[in-house]
Amino acid sequence: MEKDLHELMGETLIIHLPEELDHHTVGEVRNATDDLFIGKRVRNVIFDYGKTSFMDSSGIGLIMGRYREVRYLKGNVYLVNIGKKMERILEISGLYRVAIRAEDISTAMEMIKE
């Protein structure tokens, strides 16, 4: 996984998801970010769907797993830059019950500061 696909800003991890979020790429995202969660350095996660056009159940599992991690630290998961195709998948999956939708990264960062 490329280094620029995730960045840490304070206690907020921003993950720029790949075009396809499937079993293979979810493993890469998880491996690239696990150490940050083990060290309890992450309190909020922003998943950037700007490039993503496909997500299967392993992608849903990734979001749920990270949700469980940050809820323990009283943080939240944010979903941003969602296109029409991903909107439908996220609605059907029920992820909006555990994650907060924001228009973009800067909006999510403002919500975190409040």
Side-chain angles (χ1 to χ4, degrees):
M1 182 173 201
E2 296 173 32
K3 285 256 185 243
D4 64 345
L5 291 182
H6 72 279
E7 56 189 297
L8 188 62
M9 297 179 72
E11 294 180 319
T12 300
L13 176 64
I14 301 167
I15 300 175
H16 304 283
L17 295 170
E19 187 176 340
E20 294 189 2
L21 193 56
D22 56 20
H23 178 74
H24 176 69
T25 56
V26 162
E28 291 176 5
V29 170
R30 213 178 262 125
N31 291 339
T33 59
D34 269 349
D35 289 345
L36 298 171
F37 286 92
I38 292 168
K40 301 289 186 230
R41 292 174 50 200
V42 174
R43 195 165 145 213
N44 296 289
V45 180
I46 299 172
F47 287 97
D48 179 4
Y49 279 88
K51 297 178 188 171
T52 309
S53 59
F54 173 81
M55 180 175 75
D56 67 10
S57 61
S58 55
I60 295 166
L62 173 71
I63 308 295
M64 292 302 297
R66 294 313 187 202
Y67 168 76
R68 284 189 293 275
E69 295 273 348
V70 300
R71 288 310 292 169
Y72 178 74
L73 299 171
K74 305 222 183 324
N76 287 302
V77 168
Y78 298 82
L79 309 177
V80 303
N81 296 321
I82 300 162
K84 286 188 183 283
K85 194 172 193 177
M86 291 310 305
E87 173 73 26
R88 180 98 171 107
I89 293 169
L90 294 169
E91 267 182 32
I92 292 170
S93 70
L95 282 176
Y96 288 138
R97 288 193 298 259
V98 298
I100 299 166
R101 180 177 183 176
E103 192 64 34
D104 52 33
I105 292 170
S106 59
T107 304
M109 292 298 285
E110 285 299 316
M111 293 168 84
I112 290 166
K113 288 178 189 174
E114 293 178 356

